[in-house]
Amino acid sequence: MKMLKRFFRWGLLALLCSCAGARQQDDSGCLGVADFSDTLAHNTPCRIMDVRTPEEYASGHLDGAMNLDVQSDGFVMGVGAFRKQDAILVYCQGGVRSRRAAEQLRAMGFTRVYDLCGGLNAWSESGKTVVR
């Protein structure tokens, strides 16, 4: 009986932690692979933005993605041509740079910005296609 109580306590704790993590991802605009893929499929017009370096982009990227390195001086100028009402889906290799890019885009007035949680690593690990 004591072991059963301990099991339920740990189970409840794990459930609460997973719910808290999901809420934080929703608040930040960060989407898991399935939701990102669904958003990509159901938003027209949309822009897919790879915010990695040109060398990283050349090694593999999402089909239809344009490369705008968030760390370059040309990033802000590059997104200046986008329409504010378009959906913009951003990703990088692991999720850090795309989060920064998504924050910059929102600060510039873009309202439909979606960031791929885990970046291209998560996309590839889930078996999704990468253009090489």
Side-chain angles (χ1 to χ4, degrees):
M1 189 65 160
K2 191 175 188 179
M3 192 123 161
L4 188 58
K5 284 182 183 180
R6 186 176 297 157
F7 174 79
F8 281 119
R9 255 189 249 140
W10 282 108
L12 180 60
L13 180 62
L15 178 63
L16 290 173
C17 289
S18 68
C19 289
R23 184 172 43 238
Q24 288 173 352
Q25 289 176 349
D26 290 345
D27 291 345
S28 71
C30 184
L31 300 176
V33 172
D35 290 333
F36 190 87
S37 181
D38 189 53
T39 301
L40 178 61
H42 294 99
N43 278 281
T44 309
C46 76
R47 306 278 185 145
I48 311 166
M49 188 186 308
D50 184 319
V51 297
R52 301 174 302 153
T53 65
E55 295 79 20
E56 289 174 301
Y57 178 83
S59 71
H61 56 274
L62 299 186
D63 190 28
M66 65 185 330
N67 182 222
L68 280 172
D69 183 354
V70 70
Q71 297 172 332
S72 75
D73 293 335
F75 179 76
V76 172
M77 183 180 282
V79 298
F82 296 177
R83 297 181 323 171
K84 304 270 185 195
Q85 65 270 26
D86 290 350
I88 301 177
L89 290 86
V90 297
Y91 70 93
C92 62
Q93 194 66 43
V96 175
R97 289 174 285 179
S98 60
R99 178 175 294 245
R100 185 173 349 127
E103 289 170 359
Q104 280 186 276
L105 290 165
R106 288 186 192 102
M108 294 170 66
F110 293 91
T111 56
R112 297 173 56 211
V113 180
Y114 306 96
D115 175 21
L116 176 59
C117 294
L120 197 61
N121 292 337
W123 185 267
S124 298
E125 288 170 9
S126 72
K128 298 283 189 182
T129 304
V130 174
V131 176
R132 302 208 186 270

